[in-house]
Amino acid sequence: MHTKKQTPVKYYVGIDVGSASVRAALVDGFGTVVAHADQPIQIWEPQPDHYEQSSADIWAACCSVTKKVVCGVDASQIRGVGFDATCSLVVVDKQFQPLAVNREGQNHRNVIMWMDHRAVSQVERINATQHRVLNYVGGVMSVEMQPPKLLWIKENLQESCWEKAGYFFDLPDFLSWKATGVTARSLCTVVCKWTYTSDGGWDDSFWKMIGLEDLVKDKYEKIGNHVLSPGESVGKGLTPEAAKDLGLPEGIAVAASLIDAHAGGLGVIGADVKGHNLPCENQPFTSRVAMICGTSSCHMGVSETPIFVPGVWGPYFSAMVPGLWLNEGGQSATGKLVSVWRHKQIPRWEVCHNCYHSGIYTYLNSHLDLIKKSLPVGFLTVDLHVWPDFHGNRSPLTDLTLKGMVVGLTLSRGLDELALIYLATIQAIALGTRHILETMQAAGHHINTLFLCGGLSKNPLFVQMHADITGKPVVLSKEVESVLVGAAILGACASGDFASIQVCST
């Protein structure tokens, strides 16, 4: 009997840094997650709307979860590493040591999180300039982007941070630097959050106009003057120190990174849907929107030509899929909003102790099915309505001053009422998605199918409400960890095993 010699399996590591945890996955060449692990990371909230993290804590978590997923695997079969992360701002000094982004002088807290809203005054002044670069962020810059945070640091921490700072990194770029020792930035991060353009680079007049001319004088060394496309190999791969930290072989390929939502979009938008009778079948990717549902939600739509959508970020060229323009809508609070009732309505949650065995959302979904009677579940909230902008409106109203609201509350505090406010919150989020999609379509996008991924996409009620309220079919990936797959696609591309991101992701 003769047996064919099997080709050794090739693996790629995807590392995803979310708002509250770090995850890693070992992914094979077919896009299958072979192993995954996660670990929480710390968040400090020293005062309202100030959210900080530690780059050392984040890197330590990256190392811990990576060692877990590669344990027992032949190191020679691991070919590449890709990182994605939230678009948080990391500050280090000239020796790459962490610098405090707070008045308390706590150097280990050197990350201003994406959801931090401390720079309200600064972003208002930036938007008042009406500079041309704002055309590429929907006309209005978000407080979640990096220029207003940089300006806040200069105006509030001039001596303790601004003057001592050596480098300002987007978190995904900090991770690729930590792995390779190379300070190159990803085109994804600098285009989407820093006002870099793929054809013109940095615009000197913008930085001078907003009072950050210091960055121009140092030839942008502090924020990046070497930019790589996502998936492009960075430097000479893993340094000896990083390899030891991560439990990986020295020198394996490290990819230029992506923002976490963009990794999720990359992981799902190219899915093969043949045979499912979907309207996007045999249509270009431009008919699809990838929705990444986590602490916040992002709505990623691509186009062959630039489409300017009022209140929706972009158009960004090659920021997610090479060669295509990206528009990015979003909701600042989704997963965090759904869970907020768990903290604000403690007495209500106490009525269902047994729900913790199956999970609170599974339990509430089942309870809604019990009380809906003959009507569809959506009609249960005919007298209860939620305005979901508890953390401002990102798209398409672009109003960070907006607050949340609930209309139709009663004095009842039983399980029924808890389930109904949970349902109304999910419906409000879905209606926000519909508003974003309608705005994108009015500007020129032709969207017929939604592709969902992220934590909330595992909730059947969340998925169904989005299908019902948008009127569009919703596709869920067979591989549920789409963000991790997106990160691993970067590593696969950097390794040279695949010719391009497009080849990897389809």
Side-chain angles (χ1 to χ4, degrees), residues 137-189:
V137 291
V140 180
M141 180 168 285
S142 169
V143 71
E144 297 173 7
M145 293 180 176
Q146 309 302 8
K149 293 173 183 173
L150 293 171
L151 188 56
W152 184 92
I153 291 173
K154 182 176 181 179
E155 294 178 347
N156 291 272
L157 304 173
Q158 172 86 33
E159 294 183 3
S160 63
C161 184
W162 184 257
E163 293 178 356
K164 295 179 179 179
Y167 301 90
F168 299 100
F169 287 104
D170 219 276
L171 181 54
D173 296 324
F174 168 82
L175 296 173
S176 63
W177 164 76
K178 192 72 175 174
T180 66
V182 176
T183 61
R185 300 329 199 260
S186 166
L187 184 68
C188 173
T189 60

